[in-house]
């Protein structure tokens, strides 16, 4: 399974180094074979070698150029980073990225062979407007996205579940993942208020191939316990 941590705008460079050191020790000491991805803040990136893969939370679809405040793949190459999050709800809803721009970013990093964790998810008012409307909304987030790309992983993260402590029911998560798996023949992660105490039951669901964890992963011991949960499930 894929166990991923998105630090968002948290932890310093020093704390991130310490985190990776503890994480690698845990993976090694426990002989864990899960795929572990960690997305630190941009200023904490470095060339990491080990079992855990360091990815980037965002990058501009360019090699380099005049894009103030952004980084391109030239900067990612410096650290050997080949894994990227695209379409995260905070980039869509807080930073205002459009589907068109997200699709262009996807195409750019796809053509470079990056592993792409592509995020989709509906806000609460859409969920409350019924299943058909919700599926329509999610399908719109796949417009312009080549879902047959072999290095694609989908992360389903309901916007209203992110950072709120709320999650859909286990039945709802399983149902949605099953529907998504009919169109996207790729791994599908669940994200949104996953914590050390609910990770196992979510990971056990059919068509859930892993988790993308925000605040619940900021303490390395909690993240390690989720990796152990995945290992025990042996899916
Ligand atoms: P939380 O785990 O803090 O709800 O965030 C989920 C998320 O957005 C991961 O990308």
């Amino acid at each position: 399974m894929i166990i991923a941590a998105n630090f968002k705008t948290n932890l310093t460079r020093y704390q991130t180094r310490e985190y990776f050191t503890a994480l690698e020790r845990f993976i090694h000491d426990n002989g864990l074979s899960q795929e572990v991805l960690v997305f630190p803040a941009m200023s904490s990136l470095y060339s990491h070698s080990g079992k855990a893969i360091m990815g980037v939370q965002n990058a501009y679809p360019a090699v380099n150029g005049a894009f103030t405040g952004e980084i391109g793949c030239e900067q990612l190459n410096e650290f050997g980073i080949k894994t990227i999050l695209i379409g995260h709800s905070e980039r869509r809803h807080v930073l205002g990225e459009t589907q068109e721009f997200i699709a262009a970013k996807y195409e750019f990093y796809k053509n470079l062979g990056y592993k792409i964790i592509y995020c989709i998810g509906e806000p609460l008012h859409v969920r409350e407007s019924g299943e058909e409307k919700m599926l329509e909304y999610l399908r719109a987030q796949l417009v312009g996205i080549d879902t047959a790309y072999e290095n694609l992983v989908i992360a389903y993260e309901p916007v209203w579940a992110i950072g709120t402590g709320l999650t859909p029911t286990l039945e709802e998560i399983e149902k949605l993942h099953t529907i998504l798996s009919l169109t996207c023949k790729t791994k599908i992660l669940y994200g949104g208020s996953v914590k050390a105490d609910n990770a196992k039951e979510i990971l056990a669901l059919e068509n859930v191939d892993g988790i993308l964890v925000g605040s619940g992963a900021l303490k390395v011991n909690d993240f390690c316990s989720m990796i152990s949960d995945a290992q025990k499930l042996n899916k």
Side-chain angles (χ1 to χ4, degrees), residues 3-8 10-11 19 161-165 192-199 211-227:
I3 312 300
N6 175 9
F7 290 177
K8 308 188 180 183
N10 294 292
L11 305 188
Y19 189 107
I162 295 178
T164 58
S193 293
V194 180
K195 308 280 174 209
D197 59 8
N198 65 2
I211 44 178
L212 176 56
V213 190
S215 53
L218 290 177
K219 291 201 175 87
V220 69
N221 289 347
D222 290 342
F223 189 53
C224 288
S225 115
M226 298 184 218
I227 304 169

Side-chain angles (χ1 to χ4, degrees), residues 2 106 115-118 142 145-155 177 180-189 207-209:
I2 300 179
Y106 183 92
K115 172 169 262 192
I116 300 176
I117 314 301
Y118 184 74
L142 292 170
I145 303 301
D146 173 11
T147 55
Y149 176 44
E150 72 272 15
N151 256 336
L152 164 66
V153 174
I154 300 269
H177 276 244
L180 286 174
S181 71
L182 300 173
T183 33
C184 305
K185 305 276 173 217
T186 181
K187 290 197 167 158
I188 306 175
L189 316 184
N207 294 312
V208 171
D209 303 300

Side-chain angles (χ1 to χ4, degrees), residues 104-121:
K105 199 183 279 194
Y106 183 92
E107 199 57 22
F108 183 84
Y109 284 100
K110 182 192 105 170
N111 288 334
L112 292 173
Y114 274 59
K115 172 169 262 192
I116 300 176
I117 314 301
Y118 184 74
C119 307
I120 60 173

